[in-house]
Amino acid sequence: MHETDLHLDPNEASDLCRVFTPDELARRGWERAFVTVLDEATAENAIALLAHEAGAPLDEGWTAVRVPADAGIHNGRTEDAEACASRGGYVYLVGSQFGKKRGPLSAKRSWIARVSEDSIAKALDTGTPAELEVVRMRFGLHRAINDALADLDLIPLGPLAQASYVDATITKGESKSWHGTVRPTDHPVNIEAAEFSAEGKLLLGLRYPVTADGHPIVVELENVDELFADPNAVPRCGKVWVLNDVGTRETPAGLRALDTRDGLEFDAIVGDLDAIGKSATVLADHPEGAVADSEHIRFELPAEAGPVGTKTLHHFGDIRRIEGIAVDHEGHAHYVIDEEGHVALRTLVFE
């Protein structure tokens, strides 16, 4: 395992996705490059690029740079980027849809954005901010996910989460345009992973909620590109999969990151439901949600919704804040890790 300090500020990075064609990488003297998002920033300030010099050892030759971006009228109106995924020359960013540790849910976290790789390249070359398209959904995705989960037996919503996340949000929304979108029987949704299926659907990995048996959940967003094309479009979720051999009632585990190279087989990070020691409402209701260790798993998604089997590739032991994963062209797994005071990139070389 090789580690590199990325010297990123703020020190809160989430997720990884591969970017740039082989020709673009070669033009820049790189052999691999990833985007990560900084979750303590607005969407336009959240993009960072991690690049590795061609021919350098995996523990050397890394560059980390912030990518300037412009979200137009949406500048300053988003927060808490938690996931990213790339497809068709675009990088998609996803807000958590969640709230602060003690609630309520925040409309500023209910968004999806995209930026072209060409625009990122131009920003790197000229300093001109990349053009970031933002769709602010005002809990539309929260609504679609809750509707998609309606038939699942979910972890019980505790009294604190009910009051802090659901009831408080409903009260806050009485004078808002999104009034009625959050309902009394809803679960708060915390998205921390995203990746595309072979069909072009955006798969969302939930850190919370999980099933009543403690298993992580993947939800399919069917119409991500329609959301950018039609200002009247609303999020539409379809299939739901459950990783039914990950997590238990005693040690529930949520999804932290997703990656795929073909849209059929996926690598993922799974771990605890929220960070311990930060007065998280989820853990106040479910202290067992802090128990699960972080693991790198792999699975294939069947064509139909339902249970999914997995295999474990790596257990991180005492290292808990594994925030992203990307597997490169050589099959090496790269992880972005939040550690005290800095963000690290670790690489696991699979022989």
Side-chain angles (χ1 to χ4, degrees), residues 54-299:
L58 285 172
D59 58 345
E60 299 176 8
W62 286 97
T63 298
V65 295
R66 300 284 297 273
V67 179
D70 183 1
I73 63 172
H74 301 295
N75 281 330
R77 302 176 74 180
T78 59
E79 61 185 25
D80 204 29
E82 282 287 357
C84 58
S86 57
R87 180 180 174 86
Y90 280 86
V91 174
Y92 293 75
L93 317 178
V94 185
S96 67
Q97 322 300 307
F98 202 46
K100 295 185 182 298
K101 298 296 184 184
R102 297 186 181 183
L105 302 180
S106 172
K108 279 192 170 185
R109 302 184 179 207
S110 180
W111 57 273
I112 294 180
R114 71 179 180 185
V115 58
S116 72
E117 293 186 12
D118 288 343
S119 191
I120 292 175
K122 183 179 179 180
L124 294 174
D125 291 337
T126 69
T128 303
E131 297 179 8
L132 186 68
E133 300 175 76
V134 177
V135 177
R136 296 176 61 233
M137 294 175 290
R138 298 173 179 85
F139 299 116
L141 186 53
H142 165 97
R143 175 77 269 124
I145 291 174
N146 267 276
D147 290 345
L149 300 181
D151 293 334
L152 280 187
D153 186 14
L154 299 177
I155 189 171
L157 188 61
L160 291 177
Q162 179 72 49
S164 300
Y165 285 127
V166 178
D167 297 344
T169 305
I170 292 172
T171 298
K172 183 179 179 180
E174 289 176 353
S175 61
K176 304 289 187 180
S177 62
W178 46 264
H179 175 65
T181 308
V182 179
R183 301 172 187 170
T185 55
D186 286 352
H187 272 68
V189 172
N190 187 9
I191 297 171
E192 290 211 4
E195 189 51 280
F196 281 94
S197 69
E199 297 177 332
K201 308 295 177 62
L202 185 61
L203 306 180
L204 303 172
L206 307 186
R207 189 176 185 183
Y208 184 88
V210 296
T211 69
D213 289 325
H215 306 321
I217 299 168
V218 178
V219 180
E220 176 189 71
L221 176 60
E222 297 180 332
N223 63 331
V224 62
D225 289 324
E226 180 188 351
L227 296 176
F228 291 95
D230 180 359
N232 296 315
V234 296
R236 191 172 63 247
C237 289
K239 300 171 186 174
V240 176
W241 294 270
V242 175
L243 309 185
N244 67 338
D245 55 3
V246 176
T248 66
R249 286 179 180 263
E250 294 74 29
T251 59
L255 277 155
R256 306 298 309 278
L258 279 172
D259 180 66
T260 186
R261 286 174 287 177
D262 59 9
L264 300 171
E265 184 178 68
F266 293 82
D267 288 79
I269 301 297
V270 294
D272 56 30
L273 304 190
D274 213 326
I276 196 168
K278 293 190 175 183
S279 301
T281 296
V282 166
L283 298 186
D285 281 329
H286 293 285
E288 71 276 15
V291 175
D293 292 334
S294 293
E295 293 182 315
H296 172 183
I297 64 170
R298 183 169 289 169
F299 58 87

Side-chain angles (χ1 to χ4, degrees), residues 14-55:
S14 291
D15 217 351
L16 283 174
C17 66
R18 292 177 301 280
V19 290
F20 295 150
T21 64
D23 287 346
E24 179 66 16
L25 290 172
R27 183 176 78 83
R28 297 177 178 277
W30 298 338
E31 60 185 1
R32 48 178 68 82
F34 311 107
V35 159
T36 188
V37 292
L38 307 176
D39 62 5
E40 291 299 316
T42 58
E44 66 272 13
N45 292 314
I47 306 169
L49 184 88
L50 318 179
H52 184 242
E53 178 185 347

